[in-house]
Amino acid sequence: MKPKSLTSLLRIVAPALLATALCLPATAQTVHPKAAPVQLKRIGKVTPRASVEGVSPRIGIGFEKLDRNVFDPEKAYDKVGALGVKWVRIQSGWQRTEKVRGQYDFAWLDSVVDNLIKRGMTPWINLCYGNELYTPEAKKYFGAVGVPPVKTGEERRAWAAYVTAVVKHFKGRVQLYEIWNEPNALNCWKTGVNPAEYGEFVIATSKAIRAVDPSAQIAGGVTSGSLKHLGYMAAALETGMAAHLDIFSYHYYAITELGYKNRYDAMRALVRAHNPDIKMVQGESGTQSRPDGRGALRYRAWTPQNQAKLLLRHLVTDISFDVDFTSYFTTVDMIEALDGKVGEKASYLDYGYFGVLGADFDEDGRSTGEYTPKPSYYALQNLCSVFTDDVTTGNIALQIVPGEGAYGKEVGFDDHPLQYLALEKSNGARGFLYWNATDLLTTSFESATTMIFTGLPKPVRLVDLITGDVYEVPDEMMVQSRYKGNSWTLKNIRITDYPLLLTFGDFVKFEPSKK
């Protein structure tokens, strides 16, 4: 019986494909119907590019929770610097910095900022959390997490003084400040989620920043979850806070990108109704590499491979929007430390496995070991190598046209989960990212599709962004149009459940395979 849907097709086809789909040999085989096999020859691997050699301007990573000292940044600097990211999100840590009233010790934060800048990256500071010197409630929580200084005049004045000291100290080194973290979540605004209170807090904090550094960029919003909190943000914006912001930042955690565009467009429309010039930044997105981790998307069947796939899918989707940049959460496996209570160690030994670097843990929950790269590390590194500063999103004369291929019905534009993004490079080369957005937790998908392209340069290559392998697409796989000219049909090209990159011309630098 002929399958009636893509889901039905996957149930039939996927088990037979899995044996070879996840580990391609040095020469990948593409089969033409009624023809001898044609070889995709692996010709090399994508060349990594460290941030000091040139950053990927729209990609960042998190370096959070050092305000709670939960991992050793010295072990991570070189490895995060080798990724090629530009933006690195750090948290300021009021309680760690001001332990005596009116005295600020920035030594720990100076080291973080300077080490990141030294390696070519751009740190941006999330201003948070509370301080037990001024807010008694903060004494209850590990790191004073989620206790805003908003209830008394003394708290508000102390916060303004702290913000003033931070901006003055880092003026010339840090240009972007973000106000608080996920205020629409109770564990990050423990006094009771209150959008009007947050809006007024943003206004007061913004004034303190601008008084010291008028040229600083200020981000607010910082909403948690998956952009479902439209009502909360509408109420916060009614305070007039948008007029004080340059950027609206948000966090997006979801197991799929399907439906994401609608939510993004709704939030952007709301924010820009209050400030049409505001920019958008995706400040946290990611998932775990194992099923037993705490935090967002917990208790699902995550694996290191699925983590890498979701990283690519979400960051490429973000780039397809008009976000200024997107940031993956996070660098190192670490405890979540959002609900920890002082004196109850077990309450904050809530291990999260979001890092692109794996870690061990000591008895206090601090990340130890060598901080070993996961598949997601290399996927992010490969993505940064692709998105150089001379690459933009654009259009391309290419269509996916499904037909009867080697594995039955091929995947095409009419299949709802198909996602894609066209890229342009300043040298005239073109790129095409494409994937089938199937459910990563239930399906491992690989199949083939047919593409028609015209007016595009050669050579044609296929890049696997997880492995970094670069394949040459031979002329035998491309059939010239019956109308002649520079129009070609590319038969039975690989398609997976994570972004592959088809390139035309000299798009990606790679190290040739050794003969």
Side-chain angles (χ1 to χ4, degrees), residues 425-430 457 504-505:
K425 196 175 178 74
S426 60
N427 65 358
R430 295 290 184 266
F504 303 87

Side-chain angles (χ1 to χ4, degrees), residues 8-66:
S8 300
L9 173 65
L10 294 178
R11 293 196 185 105
I12 297 169
V13 174
L17 296 175
L18 281 177
T20 56
L22 299 182
C23 298
L24 285 177
T27 299
Q29 192 175 82
T30 300
V31 182
H32 289 266
K34 302 178 182 178
V38 176
Q39 303 296 324
L40 274 179
K41 181 182 178 183
R42 188 168 66 187
I43 58 175
K45 272 189 174 291
V46 172
T47 304
R49 187 183 66 162
S51 294
V52 291
E53 300 170 325
V55 295
S56 189
R58 296 183 63 190
I59 300 178
I61 195 168
F63 213 69
E64 296 94 350
K65 302 189 184 182
L66 286 171

Side-chain angles (χ1 to χ4, degrees), residues 411-476:
V411 179
F413 276 133
D414 293 334
D415 293 294
H416 178 66
L418 188 71
Q419 307 290 299
Y420 52 91
L421 177 63
L423 304 175
E424 301 179 1
K425 196 175 178 74
S426 60
N427 65 358
R430 295 290 184 266
F432 186 70
L433 286 156
Y434 64 101
W435 70 99
N436 199 20
T438 53
D439 184 353
L440 290 171
L441 296 176
T442 61
T443 303
S444 185
F445 175 87
E446 180 158 351
S447 187
T449 190
T450 295
M451 299 184 185
I452 296 175
F453 62 91
T454 184
L456 297 174
K458 291 184 179 181
V460 181
R461 294 173 177 140
L462 184 68
V463 182
D464 187 318
L465 292 174
I466 287 185
T467 66
D469 289 326
V470 180
Y471 296 89
E472 183 180 81
V473 178
D475 290 341
E476 292 85 352

Side-chain angles (χ1 to χ4, degrees), residues 357-379:
L357 298 173
D360 300 318
F361 298 93
D362 66 17
E363 62 181 9
D364 295 318
R366 198 164 190 262
S367 303
T368 60
E370 297 301 316
Y371 298 176
T372 306
K374 303 178 188 177
S376 57
Y377 177 92
Y378 298 109

Side-chain angles (χ1 to χ4, degrees), residues 278-356:
I278 205 164
K279 295 177 285 190
M280 304 291 287
V281 163
Q282 192 290 107
E284 278 190 33
S285 178
T287 196
Q288 315 201 35
S289 59
R290 49 192 281 182
D292 56 338
R294 297 292 296 275
L297 308 182
R298 59 191 172 274
Y299 308 143
R300 291 177 170 89
W302 296 114
T303 66
Q305 190 78 3
N306 285 345
Q307 181 193 42
K309 291 178 179 181
L310 192 76
L311 178 152
L312 290 172
R313 283 167 57 157
H314 274 213
L315 296 190
V316 171
T317 301
D318 289 337
I319 292 169
S320 74
F321 301 163
D322 62 350
V323 296
D324 256 38
F325 66 88
T326 177
S327 185
Y328 179 79
F329 179 84
T330 185
T331 297
V332 184
D333 287 348
M334 65 186 81
I335 55 176
E336 286 298 287
L338 289 177
D339 297 307
K341 295 179 177 61
V342 173
E344 300 179 22
K345 184 188 293 187
S347 68
Y348 59 81
L349 298 184
D350 48 354
Y351 304 102
Y353 303 100
F354 293 86
V356 296

Side-chain angles (χ1 to χ4, degrees), residues 110-166:
D110 273 327
S111 178
V112 176
V113 168
D114 291 344
N115 270 290
L116 294 173
I117 291 174
K118 176 183 176 181
R119 290 164 174 81
M121 293 168 282
T122 301
W124 56 301
I125 291 181
N126 172 259
L127 295 165
C128 64
Y129 278 116
N131 193 316
E132 64 184 39
L133 295 176
Y134 304 99
T135 308
E137 184 76 3
K139 295 179 182 179
K140 300 178 183 179
Y141 299 104
F142 176 68
V145 170
V147 184
V150 294
K151 296 303 182 183
T152 68
E154 181 186 39
E155 289 176 275
R156 291 190 288 269
R157 287 189 294 273
W159 172 257
Y162 167 67
V163 170
T164 298
V166 171

